[in-house]
Amino acid sequence: MPDELEPADEPWWTRAVVYQIYPRSFQDTNGDGIGDLPGILQRVDHLVELGVDVLWLSPIYRSPQDDNGYDISDYEDIDPAFGTLEDLDRLLEALHERGLKLVMDLVVNHTSDEHPWFVESQSSTDNPKRDWYWWRPAREGMEPGTPGAEPTNWGSFFSGPAWDHDEATGEYYLHLFSRKQPDLNWENPEVRRAVYRMMRWWLDRGVDGFRMDVINLISKTVGPDGSLPDVPAEDGRYGQPGVAAANGPRLHEFLQEMHREVFDGRRGVGETPGTTVEHGRLLTDPARHELDMVFTFEHVSLDHGPGGRFDVHPLDLRDLKATLGRWQAGLAEAGWNALYWDNHDQPRIVSRYGDDVAYRRESATMLAIVLHLHRGTPYIYQGEELGMTNAHFTSLEEYRDIESLRWADAERDRLSEEQLLGCLAAGSRDNARTPVQWDDTAQAGFTTGRPWIAVNPNHDTINAAAERADPDSVFHLYRRLVALRHEDPVVQRGDFHLLLPDDPHVYAFTRTLGDEQLLVLGSFSSDPQVAEVGPGWSDASLVIGNYTSPVATDGDRVALRSWEAVVLRRTVSG
Ligand code: TEU
Ligand code: CA
C-alpha cells in the first residue's frame, strides 16, 4: 500500500465507532422497570458483536432524575436506580478486557438543585458558595416574584422563564433547563477547579473520556459589572437564551484551561447546540487543545418550523446535503466532526428522514450507509442498529420527558389535545427513549417488571433476536459499516466532495484518498431514481449496499431502487 493509505499516526477516533447507551432504557436486571449497570454488563456482548470501539453512557450519577440524570446531585457516586460504583468498575473492566473504551457524560453547565453546592449557595446571600451559581436581583423597579420581574428575559429550553425566584433570599437563580437544573457560574475559578478535580477523579478511576453536555453554554455574555443582557423577544414573551447564554467570550479560554488541567492525552467530545461551522473548527482544531470533536445540531433541525422541535415539517433533502456538506468542508483542513442521526434527544431517524412503515429496513440501512461514509466519527444510539422506530404514543399519559410535558403544558391553551399529540409524536425526545427491543416477549426482554416508559408494541417484529437471525437486517448492515470504518483508510480520512446538490431525492458524494475513490449514493425516495454520476463508474466494484442483487449502472448513470444505498470503489489516476 502506498504510504498515504497507511493508518499512520492519525488519532484512534478517525477509525472508531461510538455506541451510546441511555441506561434507563437499555436493560433492567432487578425488575424495577429501570435499566441499570448490571444490565449493561449483561449485554456487553451485543456491543462486541456490533464491533464498536467506544461506549458513551448517558448520566448514571446520583440524581433526583428530574431530567433523567442530566440533573446531578453527586458527581462522584452512582444513582441507586442504576447500581453502585462497584458495578461501574465491573463494567469498566469488562469493556477494557474486550478492548472497548468508556466515555462518561459530563454535565457541568448545571447541577441539580439538590447538589450540596447549590443547597449551600441557596442558603444565604453571603454563603461562600453564593457566587457558584447565577444569582441576580429582580429587574430594576419591579416587585420580585411578579411576572416580567426576572433579571433578564431569557427563556428556558424547557419552556417558561430561565429564572426562578427564591423566596428566602429574594433573588433569582438562572436555569437554562428545568428549575431543578441551576446553571453553574463558570466565571468563578473555584467552580472550575472543583469541576476539573472531579474530572480527574473519574479519569483516575479508569474512564477514558467525556461527552460534554451543552459545553458551549458554560460561558455566558456577562458585562464587566456582572450584568446579563436581554435577548430579542416578542413583547411579553421570553427569548431564546442561546443568543446570550451560548458560545460566550470565555468559552475557548475555559476549554483550553480544562484541557491543561484535566486532559493531556485524555479525551473530550463536546455537545454544542447552536454552533456554527467556523466555531466548530475552532473548537476541534487539534492545535488549539480544546475538544476532539463536536456534535452539531443543524442537520437534525432542518425539519423544524419556527415553533422548534415540536413543529415538524417534511425534510428537503437539498438542505440536508447543503448542511452536512458545509460541515464536512469547514472541518476538512482542521477539526473533526461527530456524525450522528439518533440520540436520546432526537426522534428516531428511520421515522423522521426515512419510512418506518413500507421501507423500514431499506431506509434505515440507507441512512446508516450515508452517515457512516462521511468523514468523522460515527455514533450509533441504542436501538438505531435494530431499526427501532418512533414510539407512536397515542395518549399524553404515555409521555415521561420533562421537556415534552412542560411544552404540552405551556401550549395546552393554544392547541387541541389531538394537535398536542401530533406534535409530540413527531418531536418528543421520548421517541428515542422507549426500551431497547431485545426480543418478542411481553416487555421485549427489557424488564420482568413494569417499564418506566412503555415498550413499543412493534417489538413483536422489530427486535434484536429477529435482527440477528436475518443476514440482511439493519443490525448486520451496521456491523458491516463498523468493520468498514475500521479497515478502510478512504472511509477514515478521504476528502469529502458533495455531488448532485440540487437533486431532491438522491444524496451523493465521493471520498478520495490518494488514487482511491468511493462514490456514495443514497435514495431518499420510494420511487426509482437515477443518479447522474458522470463517467468512469461502470467498472467500479461494490463496497457495500442495502440490496442483495447487483447495482445497475449504465454509462454515466446509476439506477437506485426504493431507499437504495450503494458505495462504489474505483481507482483514479493522479
Ligand atoms: O441537551 C441539550 C440540547 O440542546 C437539547 O437538544 C435539549 O435536550 C432540548 O431538547 C432542546 O430542545 C443536553 C442533553 O443531551 C439533554 O438530554 C439534556 O436535557 C440537556 O442537555 C440538559 O442537560
Ligand atoms: Ca433496574
Side-chain angles (χ1 to χ4, degrees):
M1 245 198 270
D3 277 357
E4 225 174 338
L5 295 189
E6 291 285 316
D9 60 351
E10 293 293 327
W12 59 263
W13 56 90
T14 60
R15 301 183 291 276
V17 178
V18 183
Y19 188 84
Q20 182 195 351
I21 286 185
Y22 195 64
R24 237 184 144 66
S25 304
F26 192 68
Q27 176 68 60
D28 177 28
T29 53
N30 62 353
D32 67 354
I34 300 175
D36 43 49
L37 287 173
I40 300 174
L41 189 60
Q42 192 179 302
R43 295 286 186 186
V44 166
D45 287 345
H46 182 74
L47 311 191
V48 172
E49 203 180 335
L50 196 53
V52 294
D53 307 274
V54 182
L55 169 59
W56 151 28
L57 275 190
S58 276
I60 49 168
Y61 315 91
R62 195 176 275 275
S63 158
Q65 304 290 328
D66 188 54
D67 186 18
N68 289 355
Y70 283 89
D71 50 315
I72 297 168
S73 55
D74 185 346
Y75 285 108
E76 296 183 5
D77 201 3
I78 305 296
D79 196 84
F82 298 130
T84 61
L85 274 171
E86 290 64 44
D87 291 328
L88 184 81
D89 289 340
R90 271 192 285 276
L91 176 62
L92 244 180
E93 200 184 316
L95 293 170
H96 285 169
E97 267 170 18
R98 291 161 178 82
L100 274 96
K101 299 185 198 301
L102 180 69
V103 165
M104 299 278 276
D105 221 302
L106 180 81
V107 190
V108 291
N109 173 69
H110 44 268
T111 67
S112 164
D113 65 336
E114 297 180 33
H115 193 291
W117 296 343
F118 188 76
V119 174
E120 276 191 54
S121 182
Q122 190 172 26
S123 64
S124 72
T125 50
D126 56 7
N127 183 278
K129 290 212 166 52
R130 185 66 167 182
D131 185 48
W132 280 42
Y133 295 83
W134 296 90
W135 290 98
R136 291 290 183 279
R139 191 180 285 275
E140 192 133 8
M142 297 211 50
E143 181 62 30
T146 59
E150 294 85 10
T152 69
N153 66 350
W154 301 1
S156 145
F157 288 110
F158 292 165
S159 307
W163 295 96
D164 219 62
H165 181 232
D166 174 52
E167 302 259 329
T169 60
E171 291 187 330
Y172 289 80
Y173 67 89
L174 176 69
H175 59 88
L176 293 177
F177 294 89
S178 95
R179 50 185 300 277
K180 289 185 68 61
Q181 293 168 295
D183 281 53
L184 279 166
N185 175 17
W186 274 69
E187 301 291 322
N188 184 330
E190 287 176 31
V191 168
R192 306 204 297 274
R193 272 199 294 275
V195 169
Y196 304 150
R197 199 177 310 121
M198 174 275 283
M199 292 173 76
R200 285 192 299 262
W201 185 86
W202 279 107
L203 292 171
D204 292 344
R205 204 172 182 99
V207 314
D208 301 288
F210 298 100
R211 172 271 188 187
M212 302 177 194
D213 191 63
V214 290
I215 200 66
N216 62 325
L217 303 187
I218 60 177
S219 168
K220 283 114 167 113
T221 302
V222 43
D225 58 347
S227 64
L228 296 165
D230 277 331
V231 294
E234 285 170 47
D235 262 0
R237 285 212 155 226
Y238 300 103
Q240 290 284 336
V243 186
N247 307 317
R250 298 186 71 186
L251 176 61
H252 298 290
E253 176 199 334
F254 292 161
L255 289 176
Q256 286 170 10
E257 180 184 75
M258 176 193 285
H259 200 280
R260 276 196 310 277
E261 298 290 321
V262 179
F263 285 119
D264 269 339
R266 315 196 263 194
R267 315 305 350 165
V269 187
E271 185 212 31
T272 58
T275 283
T276 60
V277 174
E278 175 52 21
H279 206 184
R281 194 187 61 72
L282 291 176
L283 288 166
T284 60
D285 180 347
R288 296 171 53 87
H289 302 292
E290 296 182 25
L291 298 171
D292 298 323
M293 55 185 122
V294 280
F295 291 110
T296 65
F297 282 71
E298 286 179 52
H299 71 295
V300 289
S301 310
L302 298 170
D303 56 347
H304 295 177
R309 68 176 308 140
F310 297 107
D311 179 17
V312 175
H313 295 267
L315 171 75
D316 184 330
L317 181 65
R318 288 165 289 205
D319 295 340
L320 183 63
K321 287 188 279 191
T323 299
L324 286 175
R326 212 158 21 78
W327 278 91
Q328 290 282 302
L331 273 58
E333 299 303 323
W336 195 250
N337 279 295
L339 307 170
Y340 74 95
W341 290 134
D342 282 5
N343 62 39
H344 63 291
D345 294 333
Q346 299 295 331
R348 293 282 183 182
I349 202 67
V350 65
S351 304
R352 189 176 182 186
Y353 294 172
D355 175 346
D356 71 0
V357 182
Y359 294 100
R360 186 189 65 91
R361 189 196 70 83
E362 290 80 357
S363 61
T365 48
M366 181 281 292
L367 286 159
I369 291 172
V370 166
L371 184 78
H372 281 241
L373 266 289
H374 280 77
R375 189 166 182 273
T377 300
Y379 284 66
I380 303 172
Y381 174 67
Q382 66 184 35
E384 184 181 343
E385 80 282 17
L386 308 175
M388 276 178 61
T389 70
N390 274 356
H392 302 301
F393 287 155
T394 52
S395 76
L396 284 173
E397 289 68 55
E398 289 173 284
Y399 286 94
R400 299 285 177 272
D401 168 34
I402 180 168
E403 179 188 35
S404 305
L405 296 174
R406 298 251 2 228
W407 175 84
D409 266 352
E411 300 296 322
R412 186 149 291 148
D413 295 342
R414 214 172 52 85
L415 301 176
S416 69
E417 168 136 349
E418 201 186 329
Q419 288 171 315
L420 285 179
L421 279 170
C423 295
L424 289 173
S428 171
R429 307 195 294 183
D430 279 341
N431 283 308
R433 298 178 179 185
T434 60
V436 171
Q437 296 164 207
W438 296 107
D439 57 40
D440 62 4
T441 61
Q443 300 297 353
F446 167 68
T447 181
T448 54
R450 218 175 100 83
W452 71 276
I453 187 170
V455 169
N456 193 317
N458 68 19
H459 74 275
D460 60 349
T461 54
I462 304 172
N463 60 67
E467 288 282 313
R468 212 169 270 122
D470 171 6
D472 297 324
S473 66
V474 181
F475 179 70
H476 288 295
L477 192 278
Y478 268 94
R479 289 184 58 192
R480 290 162 60 206
L481 282 172
V482 174
L484 186 65
R485 167 75 45 179
H486 290 163
E487 289 154 12
D488 194 327
V490 190
V491 176
Q492 294 156 8
R493 289 174 292 123
D495 290 335
F496 176 96
H497 179 67
L498 186 71
L499 303 176
L500 309 179
D502 301 322
D503 188 309
H505 302 298
V506 179
Y507 204 120
F509 58 91
T510 56
R511 301 285 311 280
T512 311
L513 186 69
D515 61 358
E516 285 208 34
Q517 190 167 59
L518 301 177
L519 171 66
V520 182
L521 297 173
S523 166
F524 280 63
S525 169
S526 311
D527 301 325
Q529 299 295 325
V530 173
E532 307 278 348
V533 295
W537 289 103
S538 43
D539 296 328
S541 58
L542 179 65
V543 178
I544 194 167
N546 61 350
Y547 277 75
T548 39
S549 54
V551 42
T553 51
D554 144 32
D556 299 355
R557 293 137 34 109
V558 179
L560 296 169
R561 290 158 280 190
S562 309
W563 301 94
E564 182 167 7
V566 290
V567 181
L568 302 176
R569 185 195 305 276
R570 70 176 178 185
T571 306
V572 284
S573 43

